Amino acid sequence: MGRDHGFHPVRITRIIQETPDTRTYVLDAPFPYRAGQFVTIKACGTLRSYSMSSSPETDAELMTTVKRVPGGLVSNWMHDHLAPGDVLETTLPAGVFCLREGGEAGSAHDFAAPVVAFCGGSGITPVLSLAKSALAGTERPVRVLSANRDAGAVIFGSALGELAQRYPGRFEVRHHLDDWEGFVTADQVREFAGGDTDADFYLCGPAPFMELVENALLAHGVAPERIFVERFTQATDPPPANTPEEDTPEQEGTLTLVLSGKRHTLAQRSGETFLESARRAGLAPPFSCEAGNCATCIAQVTEGEAKMRVNNALDEDEIAEGWVLTCQGEPTTPHVTVVYED
């Protein structure tokens, strides 16, 4: 069975002003979820994914936090127009930026290992969710380095302070303010990581920040499988919409796309993702981030095989069932059939 990617009406019960440009939307949405996951919202004729700041272990209500982005279509609409009582259309929670559980690969020691997080700006949103769950549901120590441009930009300052008071000796938060200290450096990352190279490290924030932190951790001796990264920015610019045929040569084989119950068969093109093929055929399948993070574009390979360039959304069981992120998937056999969920 594939995951439910339909949209569900949810009512906003409260709106919390976190900072001048950041709001938390408290939703009447009794969905099961894991700390660190996100929901995808349908608004303004498009889709956007926003992380939960709530935790299923500590919060009775589901909360998603949205920072106003200059020029951002959906974030500005939400800030300017939504009020308590309004209804949003969202998917069920999804994402794999989660705490490892006892049934996953690793020793029992791994699940007592520290949780160490580095976040920039609104990247604190899923990290707060993770921290609350780790503190309430395990005995693991948690440390968070939260980088912001200045004191006025700090999101969840009070909530983080309350966690430090509630869990003395188990929770530490370090606020890094760029206007006082400059940007975070690799040396500061290594110093904050300290000797906990066997910790689980969680990274969320602007792409350059996460790249610096990840490279510093790897150079510090942290194993790649202990680094978990949440990305919502588009990794690369999309190719031009009308690429000349001679620049994208056809290869032997066919691709069949099934969307809304209708089959569309076309020739495969070298290096073309399923989403790009669908666009070439004049189709309009669902998608959002185009970076392999949100799973809005999920479909199932029912014939042939495919590979994904990036996968930050599907777990191993879903991949084994043939599910693929069409923004990252491309054929590896001459004939492939991909079925989008209705």
Side-chain angles (χ1 to χ4, degrees), residues 135 156-168 171 173:
L135 292 167
F156 306 129
S158 296
L160 293 166
E162 289 171 5
L163 287 177
Q165 291 183 347
R166 190 180 309 159
Y167 298 98
F171 181 70
V173 58

Side-chain angles (χ1 to χ4, degrees), residues 229-253:
V229 182
E230 182 78 314
R231 296 183 175 92
F232 280 116
T233 53
Q234 189 164 302
T236 58
D237 291 332
N242 296 310
T243 306
E245 186 169 341
E246 58 268 25
D247 291 344
T248 53
E250 292 184 358
Q251 58 193 50
E252 291 187 8

Side-chain angles (χ1 to χ4, degrees), residues 1 3 42 51 187 228 240-241 260 308-309:
M1 295 290 292
R3 64 176 72 183
K42 181 191 292 184
S51 294
D187 285 342
F228 304 87
S260 299
M308 286 185 284
R309 301 168 184 173

Side-chain angles (χ1 to χ4, degrees), residues 45-193:
T46 189
L47 305 173
R48 291 291 186 273
S49 298
Y50 297 108
S51 294
M52 264 86 75
S53 50
S54 55
S55 157
E57 279 73 29
T58 63
D59 299 302
E61 299 169 298
L62 188 149
M63 308 177 198
T64 186
T65 300
V66 179
K67 183 174 181 178
R68 184 191 291 271
V69 177
L73 179 64
V74 177
S75 66
N76 281 277
W77 174 79
M78 292 180 70
H79 276 248
D80 293 338
H81 298 287
L82 291 181
D86 288 340
V87 174
L88 285 170
E89 288 188 272
T90 81
T91 62
L92 298 183
V96 294
F97 189 68
C98 301
L99 297 172
R100 288 194 296 163
E101 297 181 325
E104 300 177 39
S107 67
H109 170 73
D110 290 335
F111 307 107
V115 173
V116 182
F118 294 84
C119 48
S122 59
I124 185 63
T125 300
V127 167
L128 176 63
S129 177
L130 292 170
K132 290 191 289 188
S133 282
L135 292 167
T138 76
E139 295 300 318
R140 303 175 71 177
V142 179
R143 295 191 287 118
V144 175
L145 188 151
S146 176
N148 289 279
R149 64 178 181 271
D150 54 43
V154 174
I155 306 171
F156 306 129
S158 296
L160 293 166
E162 289 171 5
L163 287 177
Q165 291 183 347
R166 190 180 309 159
Y167 298 98
R170 280 190 59 210
F171 181 70
E172 174 192 350
V173 58
R174 181 180 300 180
H175 292 288
H176 178 102
L177 303 179
D178 296 343
D179 63 342
W180 281 91
E181 305 175 72
F183 293 134
V184 172
T185 67
D187 285 342
Q188 290 170 326
V189 171
R190 289 190 287 268
E191 184 272 331
F192 191 74

